[in-house]
Amino acid sequence: MIAFISKNTWSNPLSALPLALQRKKLKQLARRSRGYRGLQTKWTIRGVYFMTLWKTDEALNDFMSQPEVQAIFDTRIRNIEVHTIRMAAINFIPWREVTALMTRNSKELSNTQKLVHN
C-alpha cells in the first residue's frame, strides 16, 4: 500500500473554500480508479491535510496523471502552498506522525509533473 499525503496551507481563509469542492471531485475520480483504498482529511486553522491510500504506486501514478486531476492540482498550487509526500504504508498513518513527517520530509509542489513518479 502507498500513502499519498498533501499538506495545503493558506494565508487567506477564503482560499480554503475551493478545497472542499476539490476534495469532493477528487474523491469521485479516485473511487473510479483502480487501486484506491480510501481518504482521510484533517482540517486545521491554516491548512488541511489529505491522506489517500493506494494499492500500488502504479495505481497512484495512473490517478495523478489523469488530466482532470492535473487540472485540479494546477489550480490548487496557484492559490495555496502545497507540500506532498508518498510512502509505503500498511494502513492510514496517525495524524501526529503525519504532521511530523510532513515537517521533515515533504516537498513543495511547484508543478503538476511532480505528482507522477517514475
Side-chain angles (χ1 to χ4, degrees):
M1 298 270 258
I2 303 295
F4 179 78
I5 305 164
S6 71
K7 175 185 175 187
N8 307 261
T9 56
W10 53 79
S11 54
N12 179 356
L14 294 177
S15 299
L17 295 176
L19 286 175
L21 298 174
Q22 289 178 350
R23 176 186 177 267
K24 184 177 179 181
K25 181 65 176 170
L26 285 171
K27 191 171 183 179
Q28 288 174 349
L29 291 170
R31 282 186 170 164
R32 292 189 301 224
S33 299
R34 67 175 179 81
Y36 173 71
R37 294 294 180 249
L39 166 73
Q40 286 191 352
T41 308
K42 178 183 177 170
W43 291 85
T44 64
I45 294 171
R46 290 207 52 236
V48 61
Y49 292 87
F50 296 111
M51 179 174 20
T52 55
L53 276 182
W54 295 85
K55 189 172 182 179
T56 64
D57 207 29
E58 293 79 25
L60 176 56
N61 281 336
D62 289 346
F63 174 71
M64 290 299 184
S65 62
Q66 291 180 23
E68 286 180 280
V69 174
Q70 294 274 318
I72 288 170
F73 273 93
D74 189 46
T75 302
R76 185 179 293 185
I77 61 178
R78 278 192 254 129
N79 296 313
I80 59 178
E81 188 175 311
V82 180
H83 287 79
T84 63
I85 188 171
R86 53 166 83 191
M87 58 190 298
I90 296 171
N91 205 338
F92 286 108
I93 302 164
W95 288 115
R96 185 179 328 190
E97 291 180 36
V98 167
T99 56
L101 284 167
M102 293 300 287
T103 302
R104 291 191 314 262
N105 302 313
S106 66
K107 297 178 183 165
E108 185 171 0
L109 184 62
S110 56
N111 65 56
T112 55
Q113 299 305 321
K114 291 184 177 181
L115 289 170
V116 181
H117 286 214
N118 295 326

